[in-house]
Amino acid sequence: MASLDSHVLKKLVSLSFSTLFIMITMVNTESQRQNFQSIISFGDSIADTGNLLGLSDRNNLSLNGFPPYGETFFHHPTGRSSDGRLIIDFIAEFLGLPYVTPYFGSKNGNFQKGVNFAVGSATALEASFLEERGYHCSHNISLGVQVKVFKESLPNLCGLPSEIGGNDYNGPFFERRLINEVKELVPLVISTISSAITELISMGGKTFLVPGEFPIGCSVAYLTLYQTSNIEEYDPFGCLKWLNKFGEYHDEQLQAELKRLRKLNPHVNIIYADYYNALLRLNQEPTKYGFINKPLSACCGVGEPYNFNFSTCCGSFGVDSCNDPSMYVAWDGIHMTEAAYKFIADGLLKGPYTSPPFNWTCLTSKIKNKNSLDTQSSLMNS
């Protein structure tokens, strides 16, 4: 399959998911207690609760501003790239906090309990850097820009936690660049992540959750783009082995850098989140977790064999979603369903997909009374 034309690529990247990382920094209100009062989020569409939609021209809204996005929980589009809640929403619920308000989507909002700077399709590396190397960027709200806006807003946003994400690998892969060419970006991306963590530590960050790569070889979009008749390229579960190996390579480099940062900052809690295996288990054993036995098929979309088409995406006129998104892992071919995000969030908060694991022994009674995600899950069917 040839590389995508610029129009289709722009549409696809506007929906693109985090192939890089999400980072959450939690600032404790008391030195020895994890009494989190609010969340600040930086990132991309995995964490975006409405910024891309808020930044969109009202005559050219992002697709996540149209049904069926948001149908499961909010019952209307909110700018989240899923049928309902995202990982960041489940984390907020677990901590007894309100959902994180999008900064760009509601500049007059109340940010005392948290604010979200994450914008769909954001990259860690600067847009100008990527454009100079021939990689398409749909906007310039990079990690650096988000952190800059955060710093400028600090007088009104004191002592809050955060989340960061990017799409630096999506563009090159969607343009079918050679794997070795994309690998050259990995140390640059890791360095940018490390610099952001270091800067946020200097600003008071005490607890960081830094997820690794998703198993993009199981992504519906990538499976469609790189579809091949060579069965040797697929693992027994139908995922592309070489793309998943790339994710493993990124994660190895990221974990090595986090280990270095821990040594330099022994009083800061830097936690690696194993997004790779937290999602991979759902692709490999879907029925064990209550999903249908077609984890590599999107709930919302059109086209064979993965119910996905690059030119007619979810949110486009005439594209319907499945009857029960909770039975599907993949939502629109790019992002996951609320049900899948719940399992990922649950695996991070309660284990075993973080290293070192979270220590919730010092949580206040207010948060303990929330009784983790199990209490909240009943809302999914309300």
Side-chain angles (χ1 to χ4, degrees):
M1 179 178 179
S3 59
L4 306 178
D5 63 50
S6 59
H7 173 72
V8 174
L9 180 64
K10 182 177 180 180
K11 179 184 288 188
L12 181 60
V13 173
S14 73
L15 289 170
S16 58
F17 59 97
S18 173
T19 64
L20 176 56
F21 74 111
I22 297 173
M23 180 174 67
I24 301 172
T25 68
M26 300 181 179
V27 183
N28 302 348
T29 57
E30 302 173 47
S31 60
Q32 299 301 319
R33 300 183 67 189
Q34 292 183 332
N35 186 10
F36 305 118
Q37 298 299 308
S38 53
I39 297 175
I40 299 177
S41 169
F42 305 85
D44 61 4
S45 57
I46 291 297
D48 186 354
T49 55
N51 283 311
L52 181 63
L53 182 60
L55 290 168
S56 298
D57 187 301
R58 61 174 17 178
N59 296 317
N60 188 27
L61 296 177
S62 58
L63 289 180
N64 61 12
F66 297 94
Y69 284 94
E71 67 177 12
T72 295
F73 183 78
F74 300 100
H75 308 301
H76 63 88
T78 64
R80 289 168 171 82
S81 292
S82 184
D83 61 304
R85 291 164 289 180
L86 309 178
I87 295 170
I88 187 64
D89 296 316
F90 287 114
I91 291 175
E93 287 182 358
F94 180 84
L95 296 175
L97 298 172
Y99 300 131
V100 188
T101 305
Y103 177 82
F104 299 105
S106 54
K107 289 188 177 181
N108 295 321
N110 183 355
F111 301 137
Q112 293 306 306
K113 288 294 184 179
V115 58
N116 193 345
F117 296 100
V119 180
S121 76
T123 56
L125 299 174
E126 293 299 320
S128 57
F129 176 91
L130 294 169
E131 293 281 1
E132 287 173 0
R133 285 154 181 78
Y135 304 135
H136 173 80
C137 295
S138 58
H139 59 66
N140 65 350
I141 311 294
S142 65
L143 168 56
V145 172
Q146 293 178 33
V147 172
K148 179 182 178 182
V149 174
F150 166 58
K151 292 171 70 175
E152 293 172 348
S153 305
L154 272 178
N156 300 318
L157 304 171
C158 299
L160 310 176
S162 46
E163 187 173 293
I164 301 177
N167 292 280
D168 302 68
Y169 306 138
N170 277 346
F173 274 134
F174 288 154
E175 294 174 0
R176 297 181 66 87
R177 300 294 182 98
L178 296 175
I179 183 67
N180 289 337
E181 185 177 348
V182 185
K183 274 189 172 183
E184 291 176 356
L185 293 175
V186 174
L188 302 175
V189 167
I190 299 297
S191 176
T192 303
I193 295 171
S194 180
S195 296
I197 294 173
T198 300
E199 183 171 8
L200 289 168
I201 289 174
S202 71
M203 296 163 65
K206 297 298 183 183
T207 300
F208 292 78
L209 176 65
V210 189
E213 180 69 88
F214 282 123
I216 58 174
C218 303
S219 159
V220 169
Y222 281 118
L223 285 167
T224 301
L225 180 60
Y226 289 101
Q227 187 175 351
T228 175
S229 59
N230 183 2
I231 60 173
E232 296 299 319
E233 293 196 17
Y234 297 92
D235 68 16
F237 305 98
C239 302
L240 286 165
K241 292 185 288 187
W242 67 273
L243 277 168
N244 278 351
K245 286 181 180 178
F246 174 82
E248 293 170 0
Y249 171 75
H250 170 271
D251 288 352
E252 290 171 1
Q253 304 302 309
L254 176 60
Q255 290 183 76
E257 180 61 17
L258 296 183
K259 182 178 180 180
R260 187 187 72 85
L261 288 175
R262 290 187 192 105
K263 290 182 179 180
L264 292 175
N265 303 278
H267 302 298
V268 176
N269 194 19
I270 301 175
I271 301 171
Y272 170 72
D274 186 3
Y275 267 42
Y276 185 93
N277 287 298
L279 178 57
L280 188 65
R281 59 179 172 151
L282 307 184
N283 291 317
Q284 293 183 341
E285 299 182 280
T287 57
K288 178 180 177 179
Y289 300 98
F291 298 104
I292 63 171
N293 197 25
K294 291 180 63 179
L296 306 182
S297 180
C299 167
C300 180
V302 293
E304 296 294 337
Y306 303 107
N307 201 36
F308 180 80
N309 184 296
F310 284 103
S311 59
T312 311
C313 300
C314 183
S316 300
F317 180 77
V319 178
D320 297 322
S321 64
C322 59
N323 291 330
D324 187 357
S326 70
M327 299 294 291
Y328 282 72
V329 174
W331 165 242
D332 56 12
I334 307 289
H335 308 92
M336 274 63 74
T337 61
E338 177 185 85
Y341 282 141
K342 178 194 179 297
F343 275 107
I344 295 172
D346 197 43
L348 302 181
L349 294 167
K350 299 195 296 184
Y353 297 103
T354 55
S355 178
F358 277 110
N359 179 3
W360 300 119
T361 57
C362 294
L363 285 176
T364 64
S365 58
K366 173 187 175 183
I367 297 176
K368 285 182 179 179
N369 288 338
K370 298 298 287 187
N371 196 24
S372 80
L373 297 180
D374 291 334
T375 343
Q376 303 297 330
S377 63
S378 62
L379 294 173
M380 296 177 65
N381 298 315
S382 63

